[in-house]
Amino acid sequence: MAEIEQLFCGKDLGPGAAGAALTQLGTSLETFGGKSLGFLAGDEPDNLPLFGPFCARVFMENACAALLGRIDPFRVMYLHEFQSQEEYDLAKRAKTAFAWTGDVISPGQLLQEMWSVDHDIAKVSRSLLSQHMDVLVWRPAIESVLDFMATTGNPISHYGFDDVDPQNFIHGLRPRISALYSILSKGVHWEFFSTSLMMDDPTIKNSIRETFAFMLKVGIISHFIPTAYCSMDRQLALETYVTLREKIA
């Protein structure tokens, strides 16, 4: 199942804090991503409602952290070094911990004017799915992915990218991936006070499948970002994406 690790963390990781952090994330991705795929395949059906949402949410968060680490390594380098300090206390909430709002989704409202001279640096978000990351990183990479897929002899639909528009993909992904995060979180914390709201097996499996579908797309796109750390060969990345996509069909 090394495909999961390589698609999100990259290949041939080097020494240093970035490589160490991504190696750790890769181990988690293999464990929880592999477990999630197992649930989709029908493994351990009794454990699906207990652990399915948890495994899928860990996979989602770790995949996002790994992608951010390859695009903007400082964040995971800092976290690796911070957690390596003797005084790091597991019992205390660190204000600089990796967080969904802030590291994946930008806090606050979307900017009406992205390039205003009046913006201070705090307005220029480096979150994984921020407006600026979308324009500077994701859109050019998506165009490269589509161009590359067009040379393979297969239709774009073969890769599930027929509905992917470089200008709107990340904008549309933000609300849906946040909704999936919320759904999975309810399964993790078991936030149910009415039996009518409890998640049944099909709901959990659909959430896992949709989470993987979105994250696999972002994963393959990341290997077409020229500045991303330790990207795979593009053909190998595409083959890895196809292999994993078949597991959620």
Side-chain angles (χ1 to χ4, degrees):
M1 198 65 69
E3 296 97 344
I4 298 176
E5 177 181 5
Q6 291 184 0
L7 189 67
F8 294 101
C9 298
K11 196 171 185 292
D12 300 326
L13 300 177
L22 288 167
T23 297
Q24 175 60 40
L25 288 168
T27 300
S28 295
L29 284 166
E30 286 295 320
T31 300
F32 293 100
K35 198 74 171 177
S36 298
L37 291 177
F39 285 133
L40 286 183
D43 297 348
E44 303 180 57
D46 291 342
N47 285 330
L48 174 64
L50 298 176
F51 302 116
F54 173 74
C55 290
R57 202 187 86 163
V58 173
F59 162 74
M60 179 193 290
E61 289 180 302
N62 281 195
C64 288
L67 290 170
L68 183 62
R70 288 181 47 235
I71 295 169
D72 192 4
F74 175 83
R75 186 70 174 109
V76 297
M77 291 171 67
Y78 167 82
L79 290 170
H80 170 76
E81 190 64 26
F82 176 50
Q83 292 183 356
S84 300
Q85 302 303 307
E86 290 185 7
E87 59 269 27
Y88 181 77
D89 189 349
L90 285 171
K92 294 182 179 179
R93 166 66 180 171
K95 293 182 179 180
T96 56
F98 189 88
W100 184 260
T101 300
D103 284 304
V104 180
I105 303 294
S106 301
Q109 300 295 317
L110 295 178
L111 298 173
Q112 296 300 313
E113 175 52 63
M114 290 179 58
W115 310 108
S116 172
V117 296
D118 295 323
H119 290 334
D120 56 35
I121 193 63
K123 290 279 189 180
V124 184
S125 173
R126 293 166 75 165
S127 301
L128 181 66
L129 303 179
S130 74
Q131 286 175 280
H132 289 90
M133 196 73 84
D134 179 16
V135 172
L136 297 173
V137 175
W138 292 115
R139 292 184 191 182
I142 294 170
E143 291 177 355
S144 294
V145 170
L146 294 173
D147 289 344
F148 186 80
M149 289 177 174
T151 69
T152 64
N154 293 313
I156 300 298
S157 58
H158 175 73
Y159 304 107
F161 268 69
D162 45 314
D163 61 346
V164 173
D165 174 15
Q167 302 302 311
N168 297 308
F169 177 69
I170 295 297
H171 179 74
L173 178 63
R174 287 190 205 105
R176 189 54 201 151
I177 204 74
S178 293
L180 284 167
Y181 182 82
S182 179
I183 291 169
L184 295 173
S185 295
K186 287 179 174 61
V188 170
H189 301 297
W190 212 245
E191 301 172 14
F192 303 112
F193 299 90
S194 170
T195 55
S196 64
L197 291 179
M198 290 181 65
M199 297 168 68
D200 56 16
D201 288 2
T203 299
I204 296 172
K205 284 190 173 184
N206 286 338
S207 297
I208 294 173
R209 185 174 290 107
E210 192 171 0
T211 296
F212 260 85
F214 279 130
M215 294 311 304
L216 291 180
K217 283 183 177 178
V218 179
I220 177 62
I221 293 167
S222 73
H223 294 278
F224 289 76
I225 299 170
T227 55
Y229 180 65
C230 288
S231 291
M232 300 168 67
D233 170 80
R234 292 182 170 188
Q235 182 60 40
L236 179 58
L238 184 60
E239 292 171 2
T240 301
Y241 165 78
V242 170
T243 297
L244 290 171
R245 187 166 178 265
E246 289 173 349
K247 296 180 185 295
I248 64 171

